[in-house]
């Protein structure tokens, strides 16, 4: 059939060319002149045990987090110190005017305008200037302003009565300008300032309005730090407990494996003892069976008689037990009947006594009713007689007049 295929298909079934012969490769290195030695000649190169470095403890997740926090705090502290050295409020171009007539107003609503702020605070005195602080890049208000009054009296009135004033839904905080009046004063951005809204975690910050001294809440800050340190120590203790649990688990696993091997040996020893006991028991049974077979029918007769005696004794015991049970049931039935009759007689007696008492009460009630009825009849009769006696003189007078 293949001879009828075309040439292009016959080429697919054609054999390949034979592989060329290549001589085997020669080894690059010969081991004929090499001698094998131990590691004793290289021990002088090993490291001295005294120079072994101390193993580095891998920090936990909380420790790494705490290290990053400390690093950030250190960077921020250095930046604040550098800016604090360059800060001079007396040479600030925006801080113009009399510092002793100026009040500081914070927590202002971002939508509050300067004219609204002037209307709210001009009730304390004439206002010379209002400076609302805005962001340098965006121009948006930052929520605080400086108000300069014409007199120091107006400043004192605003400081005393303006704190906690509600403007556009927010209660503002009013304080004196401390940058140019208080020595060594630091603003909030340099780690100073007053107020408790940025003490620490949300549960430690102050949410109510008004002036507050953060020194009053130093205890809360210390409590937050102690809680953070306690959490760090708890994490270390948890890791130590987990490692100790793993060690104890390994020890218990080794102990269980040892006990398992010991139990396997004990089982083998017990099986050998059981097989030996079974062989001894089978040998004893065969010996006893042979001895019983030699005794013959004598033992069978004696055994049969003993069996009949036991049956007879058992039958007598059953009859006595049944007789005692019947007697006990009869006594119980008699006692129940006696108690039932006694209860019935007591109920009948109580019912008769109640009926008699009720009849006596009804008789007494009928007697009282009859007596009351008679009394009423007597009273009515007396009244009628009295009326007749009163009417007789009138009748006599009328008769005399008529005649």
């Amino acid at each position: 059939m293949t001879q009828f295929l075309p040439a292009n298909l016959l080429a697919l079934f054609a054999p390949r060319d034979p592989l060329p012969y290549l001589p085997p490769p020669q080894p690059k290195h010969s081991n004929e002149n090499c001698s094998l030695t131990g590691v004793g000649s290289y021990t002088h190169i090993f490291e001295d045990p005294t120079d072994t470095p101390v193993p580095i403890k891998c920090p936990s997740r909380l420790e790494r987090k705490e290290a990053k926090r400390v690093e950030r705090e250190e960077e921020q502290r250095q930046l604040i110190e550098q800016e604090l050295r360059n800060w001079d409020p007396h040479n600030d171009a925006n801080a113009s005017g009399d510092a002793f007539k100026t009040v500081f107003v914070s927590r202002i609503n971002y939508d509050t305008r300067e004219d609204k702020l002037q209307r709210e605070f001009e009730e304390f005195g004439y206002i010379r200037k209002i400076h609302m602080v805005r962001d340098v890049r965006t121009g948006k208000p930052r929520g605080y302003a400086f108000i300069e009054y014409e007199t120091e009296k107006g400043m004192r009135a605003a400081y005393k009565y303006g704190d906690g004033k509600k403007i556009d839904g927010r209660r503002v905080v009013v304080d004196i300008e401390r940058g140019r009046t208080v020595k060594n004063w630091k603003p909030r951005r340099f780690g100073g300032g007053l107020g408790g809204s940025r003490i620490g975690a949300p549960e430690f910050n102050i949410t109510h309005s008004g002036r507050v001294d953060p020194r009053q809440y130093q205890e809360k800050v210390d409590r937050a730090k102690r809680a953070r340190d306690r959490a760090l120590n708890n994490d270390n203790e948890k890791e130590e407990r987990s490692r100790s649990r793993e060690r104890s688990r390994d020890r218990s696993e080794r102990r269980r494996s040892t006990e398992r091997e010991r139990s396997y040996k004990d089982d083998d020893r017990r099986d050998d003892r059981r097989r030996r006991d079974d062989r001894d028991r089978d040998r004893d049974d065969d010996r006893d069976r042979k001895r019983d077979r030699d005794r013959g029918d004598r033992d069978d007769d004696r055994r049969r008689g003993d069996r009949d005696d036991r049956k007879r004794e058992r039958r007598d015991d059953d009859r006595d037990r049944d007789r005692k049970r019947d007697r006990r049931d009869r006594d119980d039935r008699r006692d129940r009947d006696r108690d039932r009759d006694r209860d019935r007689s007591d109920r009948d007696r109580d019912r008769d006594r109640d009926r008699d008492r009720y009849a006596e009460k009804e008789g007494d009630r009928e007697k009282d009713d009859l007596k009351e009825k008679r009394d009423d009849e007597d009273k009515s009769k007396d009244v009628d007689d009295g009326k007749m006696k009163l009417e007789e003189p009138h009748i006599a007078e009328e008769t005399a007049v008529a005649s």
Side-chain angles (χ1 to χ4, degrees):
M1 293 294 292
T2 56
Q3 65 270 19
F4 298 106
L5 294 174
N8 57 349
L9 295 180
L10 288 175
L12 298 176
F13 296 97
R16 296 178 180 177
D17 296 336
L19 297 175
Y21 173 76
L22 297 176
Q26 297 295 330
K28 295 181 180 180
H29 302 285
S30 177
N31 296 329
E32 296 179 356
N33 298 327
C34 295
S35 60
L36 300 177
T37 59
V39 298
S41 59
Y42 301 98
T43 54
H44 64 280
I45 307 176
F46 293 170
E47 185 182 37
D48 190 1
T50 57
D51 299 337
T52 302
V54 179
I56 301 174
K57 181 182 177 182
C58 183
S60 63
R61 182 179 63 85
L62 286 180
E63 290 178 347
R64 292 194 299 270
K65 188 175 180 180
E66 183 68 16
K68 290 181 180 179
R69 186 186 65 79
V70 172
E71 183 179 358
R72 287 196 300 269
E73 288 181 356
E74 183 64 23
E75 293 177 357
Q76 188 68 19
R77 187 182 60 80
Q78 293 177 1
L79 181 62
I80 289 173
E81 290 180 355
Q82 182 179 358
E83 293 181 357
L84 184 60
R85 285 193 294 268
N86 300 328
W87 179 67
D88 187 6
H90 298 283
N91 297 327
D92 190 358
N94 295 325
S96 61
D98 191 354
F100 294 94
K101 298 178 183 179
T102 306
V103 293
F104 167 77
V105 184
S106 63
R107 298 187 188 177
I108 304 174
N109 194 330
Y110 295 111
D111 298 330
T112 302
R113 297 190 304 272
E114 185 174 339
D115 55 351
K116 177 65 175 294
L117 199 64
Q118 182 172 0
R119 286 197 304 269
E120 293 290 340
F121 280 90
E122 66 182 358
E123 60 178 307
F124 306 114
Y126 293 103
I127 296 176
R128 178 181 297 176
K129 184 178 63 174
I130 296 179
H131 175 64
M132 294 190 69
V133 181
R134 299 180 178 273
D135 195 305
V136 179
R137 291 175 296 179
T138 61
K140 295 181 179 181
R142 300 190 61 182
Y144 64 96
F146 295 91
I147 301 176
E148 183 181 359
Y149 284 88
E150 292 286 346
T151 60
E152 191 173 346
K153 182 180 179 181
M155 185 273 294
R156 288 199 185 95
Y159 174 78
K160 185 175 181 180
Y161 301 107
D163 186 44
K165 191 178 182 62
K166 197 168 187 179
I167 303 175
D168 290 339
R170 295 190 66 178
R171 296 192 181 276
V172 298
V173 177
V174 180
D175 194 12
I176 62 174
E177 184 187 350
R178 298 177 180 269
R180 294 181 294 171
T181 58
V182 179
K183 187 179 180 180
N184 297 327
W185 171 257
K186 294 188 296 183
R188 173 63 65 85
R189 65 178 184 272
F190 295 147
L194 296 178
S197 60
R198 301 181 185 179
I199 292 177
E203 61 268 17
F204 298 107
N205 291 335
I206 306 304
T207 57
H208 61 270
S209 62
R211 293 186 298 269
V212 293
D213 189 355
R215 290 174 296 181
Q216 300 175 359
Y217 303 94
Q218 188 63 31
E219 183 179 355
K220 291 187 177 181
V221 177
D222 297 339
R223 192 183 308 123
K225 291 183 180 179
R226 287 196 299 270
R228 187 165 55 247
D229 296 340
R230 196 182 306 113
L232 185 63
N233 295 332
N234 291 338
D235 186 68
N236 295 333
E237 291 177 359
K238 286 182 181 178
E239 290 185 356
E240 184 63 27
R241 282 198 298 271
S242 64
R243 286 196 294 269
S244 63
R245 276 198 298 270
E246 291 177 358
R247 288 195 296 269
S248 62
R249 192 180 300 114
D250 295 338
R251 286 196 299 271
S252 60
E253 184 64 28
R254 288 196 299 270
R255 190 184 306 108
R256 279 197 296 272
S257 62
T258 305
E259 292 176 355
R260 195 179 300 113
E261 293 176 358
R262 190 180 298 113
S263 64
Y264 290 158
K265 293 180 181 179
D266 295 339
D267 293 340
D268 295 339
R269 195 178 300 109
R270 195 180 301 109
D271 293 339
D272 295 339
R273 191 184 304 109
R274 188 181 298 109
R275 284 193 294 270
R276 190 164 52 253
D277 294 339
D278 292 340
R279 286 197 302 270
D280 295 339
R281 193 181 302 105
D282 294 339
R283 189 167 54 253
D284 295 339
D285 292 341
D286 294 338
R287 187 170 55 253
D288 295 339
R289 194 179 300 109
K290 186 177 181 181
R291 186 168 53 253
D292 293 339
R293 193 183 302 112
D294 294 340
R295 287 179 180 177
D297 297 336
R298 183 179 62 254
D299 295 336
D300 294 338
D301 295 339
R302 187 182 303 111
R303 196 179 301 108
R304 192 179 298 109
D306 295 339
R307 193 182 303 113
D308 295 339
D309 294 338
R310 284 196 298 273
K311 287 182 179 180
R312 193 178 300 107
E313 292 176 358
R314 195 179 301 111
R315 194 182 305 112
D316 295 339
D317 293 339
D318 294 340
R319 189 183 302 111
D320 294 339
R321 188 170 56 256
D322 295 339
R323 192 177 296 114
K324 290 179 180 179
R325 189 185 302 109
D326 294 340
R327 189 181 301 110
R328 187 170 56 254
D329 294 342
R330 195 182 310 111
D331 294 340
D332 293 341
R333 196 160 45 253
R334 188 184 303 111
D335 294 339
R336 284 198 299 273
D337 294 340
R338 188 184 301 110
D339 294 339
R340 187 170 57 254
D341 295 339
R342 188 183 299 109
D343 294 340
R344 187 181 296 112
S345 62
D346 293 340
R347 286 197 300 273
D348 294 340
R349 190 183 305 108
D350 294 339
R351 188 168 56 253
D352 295 340
R353 189 184 300 110
D354 294 339
R355 189 184 299 113
D356 295 340
R357 192 178 296 111
Y358 180 73
E360 289 176 0
K361 288 182 180 180
E362 290 293 331
D364 296 339
R365 192 178 297 109
E366 291 178 357
K367 289 179 182 180
D368 295 339
D369 295 341
L370 184 59
K371 186 177 179 180
E372 290 178 0
K373 187 175 182 182
R374 287 176 182 175
D375 294 340
D376 294 338
E377 290 177 357
D378 294 340
K379 289 179 181 179
S380 62
K381 189 182 294 184
D382 294 339
V383 171
D384 293 338
D385 293 343
K387 287 182 179 181
M388 290 296 292
K389 290 178 182 180
L390 293 173
E391 290 176 357
E392 285 178 359
H394 294 289
I395 294 171
E397 290 177 2
E398 290 176 1
T399 304
V401 171
S403 62

